Amino acid sequence: MKFEIHHKDASTRARTGKLFTSHGEIETPVFMPVGTAGTVKAVHQRELSDDLNAQIILGNTYHLYLRPGIDIIRQAGGLHQFMNWQRPILTDSGGYQVFSLSGIRKLTAEGALFSSHIDGSKHLFTPEKIIEIQRTIGADIIMALDECTSFPSDHKAAAKSIELTHHWLERGFAHFQHTEPVYGHEQSLFPIIQGSVYKDLRIRSAGEICTYPADGYAIGGLSVGEPEELMYEMVDVVTGIMPEDKPRYLMGVGTPVNILESVAMGVDMFDCVMPTRNGRNGMLFTSRGIMNMRNNKWKDDFTLLDPDGTCFVDQHYSKAYLRHLIISKEILGAQIASLHNLSFYLWLMKEARKKINEGVFSDWKNKMIKQLSERL
RNA sequence: GGGGAGAUACCAAAGCGGCCAACUGGGGCAGACUGUAAAUCUGCUGGCUGAUGCCUUCGUAGGUUCGAAUCCUGCUCUCCCCA
């Protein structure tokens, strides 16, 4: 998978570039909407492409493996065909579920033993099996199985954790190289840097991970509860080590501010459930700040949802109407809020690319960050 | 006309002598949410207070009692059955 860098910002480490996949090109920095179970929740594929112009979306190995099951995905001809999404897809490995489902799993050198959250059945995810499953799902970018170290973890535990992640990567990467794509199109495997909030571990992990000849590298184990300052410190340390000519993916991040700060440190790819999940829960991100649509103050505000918004919903519906839908738990409320938030995130990335290319990213970023933190 | 049941906070509904400012739902208000076990979860919801605490509440007017939402009597209203 080819990656070319177009423009480097003079005063920060931000850069624009382009990633070439078998399902199309991706302009970076990019935000990837999360579609865990083969759907970006509450958003149609047609809306994703026509209204939002999402360049790439995520899927999740763990979820798709449990339901509908890999046989069904194979019969469908892969996830692209199954969900009728012909643009790029990235699948997460299930490494995050190692973290978030910690109550129902057990880690060994062999792999991660899970109890299904659906029916309690037991499943062993090995680094090799995770590659096999992702071959069958057929995403353009697939992720190595890692342990997303929980926060807080002491130095000793975090050190042990990166060793496990490195061990799994060695096996997973080898297996990746020995297997072929199932559907003919190219797949790239991204390994994941861990190390919790310890600089020395992050340096060690980045050094180890980046010896693998991958098409891109990910930073994992952040935005899991640690103070933001620590997250920025880790991103800063690690992006200094990661190869310049490969895309850098900061997993699971984040708030609009988190993303802009990370772009400034040279991160190219982001994903986060925040725009969709928080949207469903009534929270809207806008260029002027954050709105909780459940708040009483919007009940008779008949002005446009977001006068600056670029999505059709922003210009079609009022704040009072969306509040009514959210309060009433109407499905359309979740749809409108998700569309708006994703649209905003994607607009923010587009603007960031534009400002980097124009050489005015730094000033713009600082101005935006001030506005984004407002509570409306 | 006769017989029976019931009236509790915004709504519904527990409580049936002290542990009751009153279970629980809903509604309302606010908060959280970062590689999605999430269209989810948490807190508050009589008044004043930072907290302890104090004050006013269980249809209404009296009464019994050290003490009543809880027991007794009158009244008002609602519902059901029989005529």
Side-chain angles (χ1 to χ4, degrees):
Chain A
M1 190 177 65
K2 197 174 88 172
F3 178 60
E4 60 186 35
I5 290 175
H6 289 164
H7 200 278
K8 287 185 191 175
D9 186 51
S11 56
T12 71
R13 285 149 62 206
R15 71 259 188 92
T16 56
K18 195 179 274 185
L19 205 48
F20 296 81
T21 79
S22 299
H23 285 92
E25 302 170 4
I26 299 163
E27 290 189 58
T28 63
V30 63
F31 179 79
M32 309 181 282
V34 177
T36 305
T39 160
V40 176
K41 292 185 194 296
V43 182
H44 277 289
Q45 279 76 320
R46 195 166 78 179
E47 293 170 328
L48 280 172
S49 59
D50 296 6
D51 295 318
L52 300 174
N53 198 23
Q55 306 187 78
I56 171 173
I57 62 171
L58 254 70
N60 188 288
T61 303
Y62 168 83
H63 296 263
L64 293 168
Y65 162 84
L66 287 182
R67 195 168 53 192
I70 293 310
D71 276 352
I72 298 296
I73 303 276
R74 183 187 293 111
Q75 287 176 46
L79 184 59
H80 287 90
Q81 296 306 317
F82 185 49
M83 68 181 291
N84 194 23
W85 171 255
Q86 300 307 334
R87 296 188 188 183
I89 296 175
L90 180 154
T91 41
D92 187 23
S93 61
Y96 188 75
Q97 281 62 48
V98 171
F99 158 79
S100 67
L101 305 179
S102 58
I104 55 175
R105 52 78 163 157
K106 195 176 157 192
L107 300 186
T108 66
E110 178 60 16
L113 184 67
F114 281 98
S115 288
S116 160
H117 69 276
I118 298 166
D119 63 8
S121 55
K122 289 194 164 55
H123 304 270
L124 178 65
F125 279 5
T126 65
E128 294 85 3
K129 185 167 183 184
I130 284 299
I131 297 295
E132 297 283 348
I133 297 171
Q134 291 185 98
R135 286 291 196 196
T136 305
I137 293 171
D140 302 272
I141 300 172
I142 67 179
M143 303 303 298
L145 184 65
D146 66 330
E147 182 189 0
C148 179
T149 314
S150 59
F151 179 85
S153 281
D154 61 40
H155 189 276
K156 196 178 159 192
K160 197 178 159 199
S161 174
I162 64 170
E163 292 311 322
L164 183 64
T165 291
H166 296 174
H167 171 67
W168 283 354
L169 175 61
E170 188 180 0
R171 287 165 47 195
F173 204 89
H175 197 73
F176 175 72
Q177 290 183 313
H178 296 146
T179 53
E180 293 295 320
V182 176
Y183 309 106
H185 63 259
E186 183 191 19
Q187 291 185 291
S188 296
L189 175 67
F190 283 21
I192 305 168
I193 298 162
Q194 291 289 339
S196 190
V197 294
Y198 305 104
K199 280 189 183 179
D200 62 315
L201 296 183
R202 285 282 168 185
I203 291 166
R204 194 198 305 174
S205 184
E208 171 72 19
I209 296 294
C210 295
T211 61
Y212 289 83
D215 290 336
Y217 302 91
I219 308 164
L222 291 175
S223 65
V224 290
E226 77 284 2
E228 286 195 342
E229 293 66 35
L230 282 176
M231 173 174 91
Y232 293 141
E233 270 183 51
M234 297 305 119
V235 171
D236 190 48
V237 165
V238 156
T239 50
I241 298 168
M242 298 165 85
E244 279 247 0
D245 60 347
K246 294 288 170 63
R248 302 157 175 163
Y249 167 26
L250 179 54
M251 305 186 77
V253 172
T255 66
V257 172
N258 291 162
I259 290 176
L260 291 186
E261 295 288 16
S262 303
V263 165
M265 291 186 276
V267 176
D268 306 296
M269 303 167 68
F270 301 89
D271 78 281
C272 191
V273 302
M274 211 171 245
T276 43
R277 180 191 287 169
N278 288 27
R280 288 195 305 283
N281 293 331
M283 182 182 206
L284 253 56
F285 297 94
T286 78
S287 55
R288 298 180 191 193
I290 291 162
M291 292 193 282
N292 182 345
M293 294 316 295
R294 294 199 319 262
N295 286 172
N296 184 262
K297 60 185 159 196
W298 308 119
K299 72 177 174 196
D300 56 355
D301 188 333
F302 302 105
T303 60
L304 289 176
L305 196 52
D306 180 5
D308 308 319
T310 54
C311 188
F312 76 90
V313 296
D314 297 321
Q315 307 298 325
H316 270 63
Y317 302 112
S318 67
K319 299 177 180 77
Y321 180 57
L322 181 59
R323 172 182 145 85
H324 160 68
L325 294 177
I326 295 281
I327 290 280
S328 309
K329 298 182 162 54
E330 283 292 337
I331 294 168
L332 185 59
Q335 294 178 292
I336 292 173
S338 300
L339 274 169
H340 163 84
N341 279 347
L342 284 177
S343 171
F344 171 69
Y345 265 65
L346 295 174
W347 170 84
L348 190 70
M349 302 313 286
K350 193 174 179 182
E351 283 296 293
R353 294 193 295 267
K354 191 172 147 209
K355 301 298 178 184
I356 294 168
N357 288 336
E358 289 170 356
V360 294
F361 174 73
S362 194
D363 287 348
W364 172 80
K365 184 203 83 169
N366 292 332
K367 194 187 103 198
M368 282 306 299
I369 283 175
K370 244 172 124 177
Q371 294 180 32
L372 294 170
S373 308
E374 292 290 319
R375 287 199 83 109
L376 304 179

